């Protein structure tokens, strides 16, 4: 069985069967979709993706509020892009201030994802974790060579942790063991298997997830965690999602294409075991939510 | 079933007469088990035993052919439930439903539009496989004419959908000559229908409400010589459908139940914006072999074809291109040189951007054993050393006189080291290949 993990008021995981096969076991929690929000204006969103957010994209708090108030987000995934030295190199004070304001403004649970820069993340994430102490957020990412600081702060402040591995089942398992040895409860870990987009390596993560899930259902507790898949971020990198019709007439309308790229990427990972999807476009999210309601009435 | 060599041996005459060409019956049995020889080589096997043996060596899921000659579509003969266990073999056939009651002009236009849908991805052409002609006209002349037209104007194979026995009868010759998949939507087990179908064992769709019904019907069909079957359950919603598809695949492969050892078909209609395409995507991943699409748009089909290409790719070996310097367009000794990896996906992504730029260029595909830029970088296959080796092996410096190379933005950090080693001037390109045309234009205009 997959461990059940709590993110604020939301539960994920807990299933005893392969995705959606409710005829032969239980799926106590529907997979959830988190809206991806950055702590700075996005720099690589094509027009078809920025359009539903309008001016709100210029102010991260407005962006988050729009997701919750206009599009019914029940979970947000905040990416702390601005602290990365390659972007704005903001310091932890600014990040803490933003998260503080956000916590006051919305009452949905948060997934908080660092910038990918180890040094900065190790400075900033502990501070964020402590101001949100007890909120049971999900914070990432721990990697094989950088997990100790995040593990400790998540334990101290009662949060769950994202364990990221580069599409490698052995590393995923190894990292879970390391985190457990560091004192993290297995039920407080969520695996990020690092997915690729439709058309750009999707099938690798798809199969790694299937393998891990089969092992977990056969009793391997060090792979029996929920999966989080960053479907939106990957899909919207693909040229097929971004290119304008004027550029690629044979590919059809980019407004439909971009949405489809995100939706089909998401669906594929639901079929390989995703419990949490992080997505971008409200229409794509709505469509996948409807799909989940059909599959798990 | 899957009999072992010893099981087979027990069924043989055990006379060791050697007429099969093997030194004894046991050797022959072992050869059959390995599928190395045809059962017919032993002249002494009784008819019953032969039947049994034939079944035992059959694949767990039958291969079904639709269409004729070199444009046949093949479906079935899958061997696993999960692609990592081996691979999925015969890409799920995608078909488009077209009604025969459209006016002629409209019909022709749609037919051509559907047939011409194709995209190039990773050096492969991806396209639809089937046109499913649905008989709404209730007019057999019209129906036959449409089949003729498809055969003539389109290179897609044909599925015919009808509930009208009379029309099926009247058009059976042309259906036969095209080896179309027959999807008779009324009771297929009606003796009149069976008598018609028995004549040539065509590929047919057999539908049932519940899985147990297949257990009943299918052995009977096989008995009368109809064994080119494609199964369809009439389950109503996507969840039940997913369950049925999964169960049938399991029964065929895990339980080796012959009644289920056939490919499966689903029909998906697009109603609102995305529910249809999401269902079709689901069935591509799990376990449809033929999907008939109704009302889908170009973009939907593009996404579904891409998904099919992904899911049916071979997990054991990444597609690679030969590591070498490719000359794109009319290159001169002034043409730019772009360095990339020999992973097909990476190479073709770069290629299409170079082509789009219309600037003749060299692409140096470094041997990374088929890994993408960052994967190869992390695995130390795309390094200043391997790139320098490629530059030298491909004699880049003889091909161009400017001594500059462009590297992917994702490996910007190797810039200096690479310059030192390769003794070239390194230009760091954009991260995504989509930035290549504007870079080339700014550098070489
Ligand atoms: C699929 C995949 C795999 C597959 C292999 C696929 C393959 N054949 O290469 C598998 C599962 C085998 C794999 C393995 C590993 N992977 Co891997 N993998 C990926 C994944 C998901 C997608 C890669 C991909 O196919 N991209 C699509 C191609 C087209 O991209 P690309 O080659 O970069 O090309 C683009 C650009 O670079 C540009 N471009 C290309 N050439 C050129 C040339 C010029 C001149 C220009 C201007 C631009 C340009 O254009 C393309 C499109 O824009 C990425 C994560 C991700 N989502 O991106 C991780 C990723 C690349 N992998 C990673 C790692 C670490 C590994 C492993 C080392 C992990 C391990 N097990 O130890 C192994 C190494 C392999 C080994 N030792 O055998 C890391 C790399 C981290 C880093 N930044 O260094 C990544 C980023 C995942 C992560 N976030 O951790 N991987
Ligand atoms: S021909 Fe038949 S009976 Fe004779 S040796 Fe071969 S298997 Fe045995």
């Amino acid at each position: 069985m997959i461990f059940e993990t709590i993110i604020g008021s939301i539960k994920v995981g807990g299933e005893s069967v392969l995705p959606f096969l409710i005829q032969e076991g239980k799926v106590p929690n529907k997979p959830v979709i988190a809206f991806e929000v950055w702590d700075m204006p996005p720099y690589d969103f094509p027009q078809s993706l920025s359009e539903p957010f309008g001016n709100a994209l210029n102010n991260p708090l407005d962006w988050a509020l729009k997701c919750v108030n206009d599009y019914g987000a029940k979970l947000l995934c905040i990416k702390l892009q601005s602290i990365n030295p390659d972007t704005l190199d903001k310091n932890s004070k600014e990040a803490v201030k933003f998260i503080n304001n956000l916590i006051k403004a919305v009452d949905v649970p948060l997934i908080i994802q660092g910038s990918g820069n180890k040094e900065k993340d190790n400075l900033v994430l502990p501070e964020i974790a402590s101001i949100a102490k007890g909120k049971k957020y999900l914070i990432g990412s721990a990697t094989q060579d950088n997990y100790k600081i995040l593990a400790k702060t998540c334990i101290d402040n009662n949060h769950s942790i994202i364990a990221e591995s580069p599409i490698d089942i052995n590393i995923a398992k190894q990292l879970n063991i390391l985190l457990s040895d560091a004192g993290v409860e297995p039920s407080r870990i969520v695996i990020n298997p690092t997915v690729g987009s439709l058309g750009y390596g999707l099938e690798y993560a798809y199969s790694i997830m299937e393998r891990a899930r089969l092992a977990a259902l056969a009793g391997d507790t060090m792979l029996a965690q929920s999966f989080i898949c960053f479907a939106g971020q990957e899909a919207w990198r693909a040229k097929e999602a971004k290119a304008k019709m004027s550029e690629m007439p044979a590919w059809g309308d980019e407004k439909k294409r971009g949405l489809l790229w995100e939706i089909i990427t998401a669906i594929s990972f639901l079929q390989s075991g995703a419990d949490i999807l992080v997505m971008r476009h409200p229409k794509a999210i709505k469509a996948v939510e409807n799909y989940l309601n059909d599959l798990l009435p | 079933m899957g009999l072992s060599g010893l099981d087979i041996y027990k069924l043989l005459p055990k006379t060791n007469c050697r007429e099969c060409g093997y030194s004894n019956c046991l050797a022959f049995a072992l050869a059959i088990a390995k599928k190395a020889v045809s059962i017919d080589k032993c002249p002494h096997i009784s008819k019953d035993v032969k039947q049994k043996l034939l079944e035992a060596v059959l694949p767990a899921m039958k291969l079904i052919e639709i269409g004729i000659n070199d444009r046949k579509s093949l479906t079935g003969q899958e061997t696993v439930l999960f692609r990592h266990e081996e691979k999925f073999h015969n890409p799920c056939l995608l078909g488009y439903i077209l009604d025969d009651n459209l006016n002629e002009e409209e019909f022709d236009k749609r037919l051509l539009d559907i047939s011409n849908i194709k995209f190039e991805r990773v050096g492969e052409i991806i396209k639809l496989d089937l046109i499913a002609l649905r008989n709404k006209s209730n007019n057999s002349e019209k129906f036959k004419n449409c089949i003729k037209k498809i055969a003539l104007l389109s290179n897609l194979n044909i599925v015919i959908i009808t509930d009208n026995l009379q029309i099926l009868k009247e058009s059976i010759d042309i259906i036969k000559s095209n080896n179309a998949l027959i999807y008779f939507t009324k009771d297929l087990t009606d003796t009149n229908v069976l008598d018609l179908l028995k004549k040539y064992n065509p590929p047919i769709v057999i539908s049932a409400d519940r899985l147990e019904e297949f257990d009943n019907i299918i052995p009977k069909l096989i008995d009368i010589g109809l064994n080119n079957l494609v199964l369809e359950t009439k389950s109503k919603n996507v969840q039940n459908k997913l369950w049925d598809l999964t169960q049938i695949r399991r029964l065929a492969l895990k339980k080796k139940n012959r009644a289920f050892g056939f490919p499966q078909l689903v029909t998906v209609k697009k109603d609102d914006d995305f529910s249809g395409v999401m269902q079709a995507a689901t069935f591509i991943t799990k376990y449809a072999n033929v999907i008939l699409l109704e009302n889908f748009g170009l973009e939907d089909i593009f996404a579904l074809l891409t998904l099919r290409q992904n899911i049916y790719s071979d997990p054991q070996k990444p597609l690679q291109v030969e590591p070498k310097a490719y000359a794109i367009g009319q290159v001169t000794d002034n043409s730019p040189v772009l360095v990339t990896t020999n992973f097909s996906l990476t190479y073709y992504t770069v290629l299409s951007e170079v082509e789009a730029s219309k600037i003749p260029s060299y692409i140096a595909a470094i041997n990374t054993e088929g890994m993408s830029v960052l994967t190869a970088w992390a695995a130390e296959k795309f390094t200043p050393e391997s790139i320098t080796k490629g530059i030298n092996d491909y004699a880049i410096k003889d091909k161009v006189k400017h001594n500059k190379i462009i590297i992917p933005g994702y490996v910007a950090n190797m810039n200096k080291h690479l310059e030192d080693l390769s003794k070239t001037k390194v230009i760091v390109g954009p991260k995504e290949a989509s930035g290549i045309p504007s870079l080339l234009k700014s550098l070489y205009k």
Side-chain angles (χ1 to χ4, degrees), chain B residues 356-359 436-445:
Chain B
S357 78
K358 302 217 161 60
I359 295 178
I436 289 176
S438 52
L439 171 75
L440 292 184
K441 279 175 194 151
S442 71
L443 286 175
Y444 294 88
K445 260 285 137 124

Side-chain angles (χ1 to χ4, degrees), chain A residues 208-226:
Chain A
I208 293 291
M209 289 168 70
E210 284 200 325
R211 279 173 62 193
R213 205 31 77 86
L214 287 167
L217 296 177
D220 189 338
T221 53
M222 282 298 120
L223 284 170
Q225 281 71 16
S226 289

